[in-house]
């Protein structure tokens, strides 16, 4: 299954304003459409079901429930996704497709187990301490597990480059969510917040089931090699660490502010800082197009250079290897600069629009005072993530771990310090952490360019390492014939 690069190349090659707009729209559809569909469904339900008429505590309980479902489903999925992606890539390269279902089942078991360990104690506290109705708690927990399965199955469809089906399934799920919420609230007179939560849970389960059915339809044979999958976690543990640290770094600054005097506790269980969390959401969406641009351009340009270099390493001359390496790193540099230039313009335009129009929709005050610094932080953060992807290409596990560690630790430490500043500097911790991570990744890419030949040709082993008695140094004895 071909990637989106072929389609984008066909769109962009006409080099007109119309095709540029079409290409950007296509990139948007196949990458971040699922997230936009979920947000759109929530906005439609809140508007037409008169969500604002609900009591403040009840509204905050629903908002915090949805917020926690998304944050912790992403966090519990992060330790597994990168290693499973590596395993899937190797299996597809080796064309041993019967090994994919064992990977799917092992990963699902591990992901659900970790998610349950995180979710069940919290739900028990929400029921016993927060005195929330057990049906509401159970529905929220089911929505959390459903979204875990959605994100997990998305991994396999993304590797297969089946982005359009992912978007289609989210469109179906969110359509069912909206229609079901109208039915439950308007016809059967369920409470607004529970009707919305129940409908959202059903929508997530529908998406998860559709994704799972497609994965099963693609890969029907099962080799039963489950232990091999677990071996990948032992061998590629740096991928687990990197992905977890990056995902944690996305939210650790929020967690820091949840411990400050600004925090609000809902039903003695949920903690949030509404103004800071809303500013974070706005800042993330201001820069989310960076992922669209990066995926598009890597598919279109860098991947071909990387493929040419790999082919030269396998069977080319020394001169071919040097030429393709220079072209590859030249393209890498150009793509990073292009991403920074394009995203800066987009971020600036969206930032100005937000500052002008959001106050008219009730967003203002502290939220917009926090927003500018966070927007700058997420701008650098997405550039850093682009560098991490390039480090993945070169199998630089050490560089990836150092980048994730620098990003997460400095973001957390910086946020602790910036929480004592004035509001406009609350996001300084994210800026510092993102810049530190970007710097580490950039230095590793420079190091990799200088030492790539050593990295490629000198890190292998002709003989497998094992424990045991040292063999005799004698190779041949003419008298022992």
């Amino acid at each position: 299954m071909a990637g989106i690069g072929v389609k984008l190349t066909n769109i962009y090659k006409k080099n007109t304003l119309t095709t540029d707009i079409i290409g950007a729209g296509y990139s948007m559809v196949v990458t971040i459409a699922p997230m936009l569909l979920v947000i759109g469904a929530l906005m439609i339900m809140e508007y037409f079901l008169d969500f604002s008429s609900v009591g403040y505590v009840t509204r905050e309980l629903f908002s915090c429930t949805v917020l926690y479902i998304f944050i912790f489903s992403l966090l519990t999925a992060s330790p597994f996704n990168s290693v499973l992606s590596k395993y899937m890539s190797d299996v597809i390269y080796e064309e041993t497709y019967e090994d994919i279902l064992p990977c799917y089942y092992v990963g699902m078991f591990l992901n659900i187990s970790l998610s349950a360990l995180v979710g069940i104690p919290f739900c028990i506290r929400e029921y016993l301490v927060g005195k929330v109705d057990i049906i509401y708690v159970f529905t929220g927990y089911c929505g959390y597990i459903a979204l875990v399965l959605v994100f997990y199955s998305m991994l396999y469809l993304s590797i297969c480059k089946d982005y359009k089906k992912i978007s289609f399934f989210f469109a179906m799920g969110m359509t069912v969510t909206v229609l079901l919420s109208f039915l439950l609230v308007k016809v059967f007179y369920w409470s607004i917040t529970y009707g919305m939560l129940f409908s959202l849970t059903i929508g997530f389960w529908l998406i998860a089931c559709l994704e799972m059915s497609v994965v099963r339809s693609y890969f029907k044979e099962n080799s039963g090699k489950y232990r091999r999958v677990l071996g990948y976690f032992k061998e590629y543990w740096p991928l687990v660490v990197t992905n977890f640290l990056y995902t944690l770094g996305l939210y650790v600054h929020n967690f820091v502010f949840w411990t400050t005097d600004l925090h609000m506790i809902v039903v003695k269980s949920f903690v949030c800082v509404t103004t800071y969390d809303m500013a974070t959401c706005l800042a993330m969406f201001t820069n989310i197009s960076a992922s669209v641009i990066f995926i598009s351009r890597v598919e279109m340009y860098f991947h071909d250079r990387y493929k040419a270099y790999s082919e030269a390493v396998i069977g080319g001359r020394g001169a071919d290897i040097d030429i393709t390496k220079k072209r590859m790193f030249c393209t890498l540099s150009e793509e990073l600069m292009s991403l920074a230039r394009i995203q800066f313009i987009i971020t600036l335009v969206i930032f100005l629009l937000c500052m002008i129009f959001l106050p008219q929709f009730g967003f203002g005050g502290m939220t917009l005072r926090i927003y500018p610094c966070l927007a700058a932080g997420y701008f650098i953060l997405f550039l850093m993530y682009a560098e991490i992807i390039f480090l993945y290409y070169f199998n630089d596990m050490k560089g990836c771990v150092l980048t994730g560690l620098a990003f997460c630790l400095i973001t957390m430490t910086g946020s602790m310090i910036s929480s004592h500043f004035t509001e406009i500097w609350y996001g300084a911790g994210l800026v510092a952490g993102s810049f530190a991570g970007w710097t580490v990744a950039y230095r590793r890419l420079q190091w990799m360019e200088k030492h790539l030949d050593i990295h490629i040709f000198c890190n292998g082993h002709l003989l497998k390492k094992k424990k045991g008695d040292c063999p005799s140094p004698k190779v041949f004895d003419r008298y022992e014939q």
Side-chain angles (χ1 to χ4, degrees):
M1 284 166 278
I4 64 174
V6 175
K7 179 70 175 178
L8 288 171
T9 301
N10 293 332
I11 292 174
Y12 283 123
K13 68 182 180 181
K14 297 180 181 179
N15 199 26
T16 65
L17 179 61
T18 303
T19 55
D20 288 345
I21 296 173
I22 294 173
Y26 179 79
S27 302
M28 186 79 70
V29 167
V30 299
T31 50
I32 64 171
M35 184 164 41
L36 298 178
L37 286 167
V38 174
I39 294 172
L42 287 171
M43 293 176 66
I44 291 172
M45 289 190 295
E46 290 181 1
Y47 180 79
F48 287 100
L49 296 180
D50 198 16
F51 182 72
S52 59
S53 65
V54 179
Y56 179 76
V57 175
T58 306
R59 290 202 314 269
E60 289 301 318
L61 175 61
F62 173 80
S63 300
C64 288
T65 300
V66 174
L67 176 67
Y68 274 46
I69 285 174
F70 273 90
I71 288 179
F72 291 101
S73 59
L74 284 170
L75 280 175
T76 55
S78 61
F80 309 105
N81 287 353
S82 53
V83 175
L84 295 175
S85 297
K86 172 64 177 174
Y87 181 88
M88 279 275 290
S89 300
D90 291 348
V91 165
I92 291 173
Y93 176 77
E94 297 168 0
E95 298 185 358
T96 55
Y97 302 111
E98 65 275 8
D99 292 336
I100 291 179
L101 277 184
C103 172
Y104 184 72
Y105 293 139
V106 169
M108 182 184 296
F109 174 78
L110 294 174
N111 203 344
I112 293 297
S113 299
L114 178 60
S115 301
L117 288 174
V118 172
I120 290 175
F122 179 84
C123 290
I124 293 174
R125 175 181 173 82
E126 184 183 359
Y127 171 65
L128 295 178
V129 179
K131 306 299 181 182
V132 180
D133 185 76
I134 192 170
I135 301 298
Y136 191 96
V137 174
F138 180 72
T139 303
Y141 180 75
C142 289
Y144 163 64
I145 296 298
L147 194 58
V148 168
L149 291 173
V150 168
F151 287 146
Y152 177 73
S153 296
M154 277 178 65
L155 170 68
Y156 292 81
L157 296 181
S158 298
I159 292 174
C160 295
K161 309 297 184 183
D162 215 344
Y163 300 107
K164 287 189 284 189
K165 279 192 177 178
I166 295 174
S167 298
F168 177 69
F169 291 157
F170 267 86
M172 288 183 60
M174 291 304 100
T175 300
V176 169
T177 294
V178 172
L179 295 178
L180 181 61
S181 66
F182 289 172
L183 178 67
L184 295 177
V185 175
K186 298 294 186 182
V187 178
F188 294 101
Y189 301 104
W190 286 26
S191 66
I192 294 175
T193 52
Y194 183 68
M196 291 169 62
L197 182 62
F198 181 85
S199 301
L200 196 63
T201 299
I202 295 299
F204 288 154
W205 276 109
L206 176 61
I207 297 168
C209 291
L210 289 172
E211 290 178 344
M212 292 169 66
S213 66
V214 171
V215 172
R216 288 296 307 274
S217 67
Y218 283 162
F219 313 107
K220 299 179 181 179
E221 297 182 10
N222 188 338
S223 66
K225 296 179 181 179
Y226 299 101
R227 189 170 296 179
R228 184 189 174 195
V229 182
L230 297 175
Y232 261 63
F233 284 94
K234 181 180 179 180
E235 183 176 357
Y236 296 103
W237 62 266
L239 290 176
V240 176
V241 175
T242 300
N243 207 41
F244 178 74
L245 288 174
Y246 171 76
T247 307
L248 180 62
L250 289 174
Y251 303 108
V252 71
H253 56 106
N254 294 86
F255 299 158
V256 169
F257 277 87
W258 289 0
T259 64
T260 64
D261 294 337
L262 298 171
H263 77 279
M264 176 178 62
I265 299 176
V266 180
V267 295
K268 299 180 181 179
S269 303
F270 297 94
V271 182
C272 65
V273 178
T274 305
T275 53
Y276 189 90
D277 294 341
M278 181 58 67
T280 300
C281 182
L282 290 174
M284 185 178 293
F285 278 105
T286 300
N287 294 280
I288 197 68
S289 56
S291 62
V292 178
I293 298 167
F294 178 71
I295 290 173
S296 304
R297 297 189 70 90
V298 166
E299 286 271 356
M300 289 173 60
Y301 302 114
F302 179 77
H303 185 72
D304 290 338
R305 297 293 192 190
Y306 179 81
K307 182 179 179 181
Y309 173 74
S310 301
E311 291 173 349
V313 168
I314 293 171
R317 302 172 303 164
D320 295 332
I321 295 174
D322 290 336
I323 292 172
T324 53
K325 183 179 74 171
K326 290 177 181 177
R327 289 176 177 173
M328 178 177 64
F329 277 99
C330 182
T331 302
L332 185 154
S333 178
E334 290 173 356
E335 293 311 309
L336 286 177
M337 290 300 298
S338 296
L339 176 62
R341 286 195 300 267
I342 297 171
Q343 186 56 44
F344 178 77
I345 296 171
I346 295 173
T347 298
L348 185 60
V349 171
I350 295 177
F351 172 78
L352 292 174
L353 291 175
C354 288
M355 296 301 290
I356 294 171
F357 293 106
L358 283 182
Q360 302 178 23
F361 294 93
F363 296 94
M366 185 183 293
T367 298
L368 287 188
R369 289 195 293 272
I370 299 172
Y371 166 64
C373 200
L374 285 175
Y378 275 101
F379 171 77
I380 304 171
L381 188 154
F382 283 113
L383 297 181
M384 178 200 71
Y385 184 67
E387 293 177 328
I388 292 177
I389 297 299
F390 284 131
L391 291 175
Y392 281 159
Y393 266 95
F394 301 123
N395 199 33
D396 183 15
M397 297 296 101
K398 181 179 179 181
C400 293
V401 172
L402 289 175
T403 300
L405 189 63
F407 166 56
C408 188
L409 288 181
I410 295 180
T411 297
M412 181 177 65
T413 305
S415 297
M416 291 178 180
I417 297 172
S418 65
S419 64
H420 299 286
F421 297 165
T422 57
E423 297 161 359
I424 60 172
W425 297 110
Y426 279 172
L430 179 64
V431 174
S434 299
F435 185 75
W438 180 90
T439 303
V440 172
Y442 185 76
R443 297 295 297 175
R444 288 299 299 183
L445 286 172
Q446 286 184 321
W447 183 91
M448 190 59 64
E449 183 176 6
K450 295 178 181 178
H451 300 87
L452 187 61
D453 292 337
I454 298 174
H455 182 73
I456 295 295
F457 295 105
C458 300
N459 286 339
H461 301 282
L462 295 177
L463 299 176
K464 291 185 178 180
K465 294 181 179 180
K466 65 177 183 179
K467 294 183 179 180
D469 295 333
C470 181
S472 172
K474 183 187 295 184
V475 177
F476 175 76
D477 192 333
R478 60 183 297 183
Y479 300 106
E480 295 181 2
Q481 297 298 321

